[in-house]
C-alpha cells in the first residue's frame, strides 16, 4: 500500500512569485518533507521518575522551554512541560522508544501519518513567518522550537539552521493544505522555488 502525502494535491515544483531577475540562490526554497517518524512523548503528571535518565537515540530528554536536542537522524523538540515531539529518519526507533519508556509513566503516540511538514529555507524565512504568526521571531535561535498559530492554524516551528534560516513547520494533516497556501502566499513577494 502506498501512502499519499499530506500536500500531494497542492505542492508543485517550480519558481513562483517575484523570482524574475533574481539569483536562484537568493530565492526562498519550499519543500514538503515526507517519510519521517513523528512521535509524541508525554510523561504523566503522577509519574515520579525523573526524565534526566532517559536517553533516546543517544539524546537525553530535556524539559526546557524552546529547546531542541538533535543528532544526524533525530530531533527531539520540547513541546510543553513533560511533553516532547520526536522527529527521526529512523523508522524502527518507535519500537525502541516503546520498550524503553514504561507505559505506566509515559504516553507514546505515533503521529507520523497525521502531520504535514513544510520546510522553508532562505534569508526571508522569518519575514514570511511574521506575516501570519504573533511570535517574535527575532528571538528564535537555531535549535529552538515553538508552538503557535499561523493565520489561525495551529503549528509547530523547528528552527534547524540560522545561516541561512531553515525551518520545519508541522501542522495537522487536515490543515496542511491551508497552511501550505498561507505560507506560499506570504512568500510570493520574496520569490520562491518549490522543490
Amino acid at each position: 500500500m502506498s501512502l499519499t502525502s499530506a500536500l500531494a494535491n497542492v505542492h508543485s515544483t517550480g519558481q513562483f512569485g517575484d523570482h524574475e531577475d533574481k539569483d536562484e540562490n537568493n530565492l526562498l526554497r519550499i519543500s514538503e518533507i515526507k517519510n519521517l517518524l513523528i512521535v509524541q512523548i508525554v510523561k504523566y503528571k503522577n509519574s515520579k521518575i525523573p526524565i534526566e535518565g532517559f536517553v533516546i537515540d543517544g539524546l537525553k530528554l530535556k524539559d526546557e522551554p524552546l529547546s531542541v536536542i538533535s543528532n544526524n537522524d533525530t530531533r527531539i523538540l520540547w513541546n510543553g512541560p513533560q511533553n516532547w515531539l520526536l522527529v527521526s529518519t529512523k523508522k524502527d526507533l518507535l519500537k525502541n522508544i516503546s520498550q524503553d519508556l514504561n507505559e505506566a509513566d509515559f504516553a507514546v503516540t505515533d503521529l507520523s501519518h497525521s502531520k504535514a511538514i513544510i520546510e522553508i529555507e532562505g534569508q526571508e524565512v522569518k519575514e514570511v513567518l511574521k506575516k501570519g504568526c504573533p511570535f517574535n521571531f527575532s528571538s528564535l535561535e537555531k535549535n529552538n522550537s515553538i508552538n503557535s498559530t499561523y493565520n489561525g492554524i495551529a503549528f509547530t516551528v523547528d528552527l534547524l539552521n540560522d545561516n541561512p534560516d531553515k525551518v520545519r513547520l508541522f501542522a495537522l494533516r487536515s490543515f496542511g493544505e491551508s497552511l501550505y497556501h498561507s505560507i506560499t502566499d506570504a512568500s510570493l513577494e520574496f520569490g520562491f522555488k518549490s522543490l
Side-chain angles (χ1 to χ4, degrees), residues 79-96:
N79 218 23
Q82 308 288 315
N83 186 333
W84 301 268
L85 191 68
L86 177 141
V87 181
S88 182
T89 56
K90 294 181 175 179
K91 295 287 199 166
D92 59 342
L93 196 55
L94 180 59
K95 183 178 178 184
N96 297 346

Side-chain angles (χ1 to χ4, degrees), residues 111-167:
L111 302 176
S112 302
H113 302 297
S114 67
K115 295 283 188 182
I117 307 171
I118 301 168
E119 192 169 274
I120 311 171
E121 183 176 5
Q123 297 300 325
E124 304 296 340
V125 167
K126 289 182 179 177
E127 294 304 313
V128 169
L129 295 175
K130 289 176 187 177
K131 288 184 176 188
C133 181
F135 184 78
N136 176 10
F137 284 99
S138 301
S139 66
L140 195 67
E141 299 174 354
K142 181 179 176 178
N143 290 326
N144 281 173
S145 72
I146 63 156
N147 294 310
S148 191
T149 61
Y150 193 90
N151 291 339
I153 301 167
F155 78 145
T156 299
V157 178
D158 178 13
L159 185 57
L160 302 167
N161 206 340
D162 56 8
N163 189 20
D165 287 333
K166 183 176 185 178
V167 298

Side-chain angles (χ1 to χ4, degrees), residues 28-89:
L28 289 167
R29 287 166 296 291
I30 300 177
S31 56
E32 178 186 16
I33 304 300
K34 304 178 253 188
N35 299 321
L36 292 178
L37 173 68
I38 304 170
V39 178
Q40 183 177 22
I41 301 169
V42 178
K43 182 181 169 202
Y44 296 131
K45 288 182 182 180
N46 60 355
S47 173
K48 304 289 187 226
I49 295 177
I51 58 126
E52 291 77 23
F54 289 99
V55 177
I56 300 171
D57 197 26
L59 302 169
K60 288 185 179 182
L61 287 181
K62 285 192 332 189
D63 198 17
E64 294 178 18
L66 305 177
S67 69
V68 176
I69 52 175
S70 65
N71 59 30
N72 289 337
D73 300 306
T74 304
R75 294 179 67 77
I76 302 175
L77 291 62
W78 182 84
N79 218 23
Q82 308 288 315
N83 186 333
W84 301 268
L85 191 68
L86 177 141
V87 181
S88 182
T89 56

